[in-house]
Amino acid sequence: GDPVVAIDSKLANDPGLAGLSEALSQGDPDRLKEFGRKLRDHAKVLAGRDYWRGLEKSPSLTLMYVPIEGASHALAALEDFDGTKFFNTHRVCVITPSQLPLALILIAEVCHAERKEEHIEELLSRGHTMAEAMAKFLDNYAKLGKKLGESVAAFNGGAAMTTSHGQVWQQVMKPLS
């Protein structure tokens, strides 16, 4: 069950994005909408890619890397676009250069925390198994101790009979009639 995260950077090589920075700086709403539609359409294609079938497990989410700060402004220029709803529906998130390191750090932390939880569960399971084994060992050890105590008591009782005050010695020393 490890999560799979895909990072798509195909748009980084798209010459059509060269004008996005200019459109952002000029606040050109028509060009921003054009870029916004291009970003949204590419994200939809990523969500429906057939090549995920070739993987053992499809991605839990896809990060669509757009190498221009403010790319989200182009998506916001679309009246019918809601980034949260889009992500929840398609599991594709548009990220920019400044967001990429943070996204990777968050993913690493989530995976690390998940692994810690798995290790904690394994340690707890081992602890319970060890406690059960230790209880059995101590039970057997207590039985052995009881038997050893009985053996020592029997030995001491036998040895006591041979002392000068013991029954065996008194019978040996008893005068014959």
Side-chain angles (χ1 to χ4, degrees):
D2 289 335
V4 175
V5 177
I7 301 175
D8 178 82
S9 61
K10 291 179 193 78
L11 283 177
N13 298 323
D14 188 327
L17 288 182
L20 180 55
S21 292
E22 183 183 318
L24 284 167
S25 65
Q26 293 175 356
D28 183 347
D30 293 330
R31 288 187 73 197
L32 284 177
K33 286 180 185 177
E34 177 187 333
F35 287 118
R37 284 189 290 276
K38 184 174 191 160
L39 295 174
R40 180 192 59 208
D41 294 345
H42 184 71
K44 283 183 178 179
V45 169
L46 286 177
R49 284 282 186 184
D50 287 335
Y51 64 79
W52 300 139
R53 288 187 208 161
L55 298 175
E56 194 173 304
K57 186 176 177 185
S58 63
S60 305
L61 69 106
T62 300
L63 301 177
M64 186 175 86
Y65 176 69
V66 180
I68 299 169
E69 292 299 337
S72 58
H73 295 294
L75 290 167
L78 302 174
E79 290 93 22
D80 62 341
F81 184 81
D82 180 327
T84 303
K85 286 181 183 176
F86 187 85
F87 176 76
N88 288 335
T89 303
H90 301 288
R91 305 303 288 172
V92 176
C93 183
V94 177
I95 59 169
T96 63
S98 64
Q99 296 167 329
L100 181 61
L102 179 61
L104 295 176
I105 289 168
L106 289 173
I107 290 167
E109 286 299 317
V110 167
C111 291
H112 184 68
E114 188 173 302
R115 285 202 175 103
K116 274 185 179 176
E117 187 174 312
E118 288 172 4
H119 289 295
I120 288 170
E121 288 175 14
E122 182 182 343
L123 287 172
L124 285 173
S125 175
R126 284 185 184 181
H128 289 297
T129 303
M130 185 188 297
E132 288 172 4
M134 185 59 94
K136 287 179 184 175
F137 170 77
L138 291 174
D139 184 47
N140 287 330
Y141 199 69
K143 288 177 186 175
L144 178 63
K146 184 178 179 182
K147 294 291 184 190
L148 282 174
E150 291 172 3
S151 296
V152 167
F155 177 82
N156 287 340
M161 292 180 76
T162 61
T163 66
S164 60
H165 300 296
Q167 283 183 341
V168 173
W169 183 256
Q170 287 180 7
Q171 288 301 316
V172 169
M173 297 308 286
K174 189 176 191 180
L176 293 174
S177 26

